[in-house]
Amino acid sequence: MRANRTWRLWGVLVVALLLSGLGLTQAQEGESEESTAWFSVDSLNEGLGEVPEEVTRQTPRESVRRFLELADREAYGAAAHHLNLANLDPAEQGERGAVLARQLATIFRRGEWVDASDLSGREDAAIEDPSGQNPQAGEPRRNLKLATLEANDQTYEIRLGRYRVDDDDAFWLITPDSVSSVPLLYEEYGPSLLEEFVPEELKASLGVLKLWEWIAIPVFLLVIGLVGWSIHRLVGWLSHWFPSGWPSIFAGRIGWPVALLVMAFTARFLLDYVVSFTAVATTSLRVLLIILIAWGLGTILLRLVDTILLKVTRRIVGEIDDTKPKDERKLLTTLYALRRIIILILVTAVSIYVLSQIQLFESLGLSLLASASVLAVLVGIAGQAVLSNILSSFQLSLAKPIRIGDLVMFEGQWCYVEGIFYTFIRLRSWDERRVIVPVTYFISKPFENLSVKSAKMYRYFEMKLHLSADVQVIREKFMEIAKEEDSVVEHHKLCCYVTGQTETAQTVTCYLMTSDPFSGWAAEKNVLEKLMAFVRDEHPQWWPREVVVLSQSDIAKGKRQDAQRAEEDDQDEGA
């Protein structure tokens, strides 16, 4: 009997423990759900009175949209119900709430444009992502960021929170910390001094801008353009007063970059202290100014690199051709490769700076990561030609099959390599034309580098002479004339031979070694002219001609046959 009572007692204890554990678990789950779905408060905005029917705050989208609509109608008292005024005394909430609502609406219009359509339309603001790539998909949220603004070198956020009083429905309001920063942000983004003189009839809205802004923005841009044009003229005028050489060249190349920098800084000064526009116009202008500043600074640095490169080229290498030593041409090629590396670094740095300033990564980072493979394919297809040219230019710079100043035979033309750039090669032809060739096209075609080892080149010419011409006389005269030419080198390689014969003529070919192809071409023609003048003046009978026998004596038979014929004639006469 006592044992049965003991078992019953233990059974009751086990059941009690199970029921208490289940209740504790349910209570913890309820508290966890409450802590992640909303902020629980005892009271809210008691000093504002009853909530008007026109106020809707169930979802983030409805709350922000209705706040902006009420602010546009200047119903700031009703708009104040979209703010959490917990940091204010209830006696001050009625008066201060309307003022803060008006200031916040101005901040939204001028600081950072808030589009209610981008906000969640769900009461719990859960992220809807059918693809499942977002790790927070489906989880309720109770705190959202609307805007990030800067004032006095400090960053402030305007956030939206979900609150619930007792058992009432939860709703979305501007958080107390965000409300506390509204006066400070209003000093930064409030109306400018110039706007105080704008007539009230011009403050009406016309599309996304005010009526007066449609007039002021073109005037603003015109003033900035005149400032830039004046700076460009001033820099051009000053460049003529700088010392000749690289200072004047550098000053002459930075006219527009400096003008754009001055335009950008002037525009920022005017936007900060003189005039301010709505967030749409201000944001667009500030992004444009950031791009102009980055582009201007990058261009000035690039012009400085180009000027230094030009100075080094003129001092070390001089005129670009293959008469310069191989080491100097190799140095110049390396400098051009260094220039391309500097350009790549500058473009990367400028791009990172612009993206960080306009904060694209915060809004597009997740989307870019999700679509990285698609973007890589699209960029690879669209920029295939550009990327292949860039990679090919680096290949030329590293392997150096050609160097700056090399003489190449490309598609039947003699050209000097004048520059190797990212996407093209600039060639200077013999007649001073500039041939622009894509890098990939150049390396895909056979070309002859006449300067790969030495600029020296064998030249030759042919002469058609009569069969009676004395080749030894021609050979001696050729060597005499060739040795007088400055560009003819290695005289021991001079030679002259008969290389062909017909019924009436013989072909005499003369070979000479020249210091470089271009001067060798001129030397070849000079020697040929002088040798032709020698034959014409001294031995005109050596020119090819048709032979007609008019007597027993013919020059075509040679001197020995003539002497034999004369001897036979004398014998006949003696007999």
Side-chain angles (χ1 to χ4, degrees), residues 14 39 109 133 278 554 575:
V14 169
F39 297 101
R109 283 195 295 265
Q133 295 182 355
T278 56
D554 184 11

Side-chain angles (χ1 to χ4, degrees), residues 235-236 238-255 300 303-312 314:
V235 173
L238 291 176
S239 64
H240 296 291
W241 291 90
F242 287 141
S244 60
W246 70 269
S248 60
I249 295 175
F250 177 67
R253 290 183 173 183
I254 62 172
I300 290 176
R303 295 290 183 268
L304 179 60
V305 172
D306 287 340
T307 305
I308 295 175
L309 179 63
L310 178 62
K311 181 181 178 181
V312 173
R314 289 183 174 180

Side-chain angles (χ1 to χ4, degrees), residues 176-226:
D177 293 338
S178 301
V179 173
S180 300
S181 62
V182 167
L184 180 62
L185 294 174
Y186 183 75
E187 293 181 2
E188 181 73 19
Y189 298 98
S192 60
L193 298 176
L194 182 63
E195 195 171 349
E196 297 179 358
F197 301 96
V198 177
E200 290 297 329
E201 55 270 16
L202 294 180
K203 293 183 179 180
S205 298
L206 182 61
V208 295
L209 302 177
K210 300 292 185 181
L211 184 59
W212 71 272
E213 292 177 330
W214 288 106
I215 303 173
I217 291 177
V219 175
F220 176 83
L221 296 177
L222 179 61
V223 171
I224 298 301
L226 291 175

Side-chain angles (χ1 to χ4, degrees), residues 129 133-135 145 355-356 358-373 375:
D129 185 12
Q133 295 182 355
N134 194 317
K145 185 177 70 172
L355 292 176
S356 64
I358 62 180
Q359 299 177 351
L360 280 182
F361 288 130
E362 295 184 4
S363 59
L364 299 179
L366 192 59
S367 300
L368 289 176
L369 290 176
S371 58
S373 58
L375 288 176

Side-chain angles (χ1 to χ4, degrees), residues 86-346:
N87 291 339
L88 295 179
D89 189 84
E92 300 178 355
Q93 291 178 357
E95 180 180 357
R96 290 283 298 161
V99 175
L100 292 172
R102 177 179 60 83
Q103 293 178 347
L104 181 59
T106 303
I107 293 171
F108 281 156
R109 283 195 295 265
R110 298 178 177 277
E112 182 174 339
W113 178 255
V114 177
D115 190 357
S117 301
D118 296 336
L119 300 175
S120 175
R122 295 171 52 112
E123 292 185 0
D124 58 358
I127 299 176
E128 297 179 354
D129 185 12
S131 64
Q133 295 182 355
N134 194 317
Q136 297 181 346
E139 297 182 2
R141 294 181 295 173
R142 62 176 182 174
N143 195 309
L144 303 177
K145 185 177 70 172
L146 297 180
T148 301
L149 302 169
E150 293 186 0
N152 298 332
D153 297 330
Q154 299 293 327
T155 302
Y156 298 89
E157 292 184 349
I158 304 298
R159 306 189 72 88
L160 200 65
R162 192 183 186 201
Y163 300 91
R164 183 179 179 183
V165 180
D166 297 333
D167 295 332
D168 295 339
D169 294 335
F171 43 84
W172 292 86
L173 304 176
I174 303 297
T175 61
D177 293 338
S178 301
V179 173
S180 300
S181 62
V182 167
L184 180 62
L185 294 174
Y186 183 75
E187 293 181 2
E188 181 73 19
Y189 298 98
S192 60
L193 298 176
L194 182 63
E195 195 171 349
E196 297 179 358
F197 301 96
V198 177
E200 290 297 329
E201 55 270 16
L202 294 180
K203 293 183 179 180
S205 298
L206 182 61
V208 295
L209 302 177
K210 300 292 185 181
L211 184 59
W212 71 272
E213 292 177 330
W214 288 106
I215 303 173
I217 291 177
V219 175
F220 176 83
L221 296 177
L222 179 61
V223 171
I224 298 301
L226 291 175
V227 171
W229 178 80
S230 302
I231 295 299
H232 178 261
R233 295 294 300 271
L234 178 62
V235 173
W237 178 76
L238 291 176
S239 64
H240 296 291
W241 291 90
F242 287 141
S244 60
W246 70 269
S248 60
I249 295 175
F250 177 67
R253 290 183 173 183
I254 62 172
W256 279 117
V258 171
L260 291 178
L261 282 179
V262 175
M263 289 169 59
F265 286 118
T266 303
R268 294 190 66 170
F269 174 81
L270 295 178
L271 289 175
D272 291 338
Y273 301 103
V274 179
V275 63
S276 60
F277 305 112
T278 56
V280 175
T282 302
T283 302
S284 302
L285 288 174
R286 290 188 181 276
V287 170
L288 178 61
L289 296 179
I290 290 172
I291 294 175
L292 290 180
I293 292 174
W295 185 86
L297 289 175
T299 304
I300 290 176
L301 291 176
L302 181 59
R303 295 290 183 268
L304 179 60
V305 172
D306 287 340
T307 305
I308 295 175
L309 179 63
L310 178 62
K311 181 181 178 181
V312 173
T313 302
R314 289 183 174 180
R315 174 172 295 183
I316 298 179
V317 181
E319 183 67 21
I320 301 175
D321 55 34
D322 62 346
T323 59
K324 298 299 179 181
K326 180 179 177 181
D327 293 339
E328 293 184 359
R329 288 184 279 123
K330 184 178 180 180
L331 172 62
L332 189 58
T333 306
T334 304
L335 291 176
Y336 268 81
L338 180 62
R339 177 185 182 273
R340 292 196 296 275
I341 295 175
I342 293 175
I343 292 175
L344 184 61
I345 295 174
L346 287 177

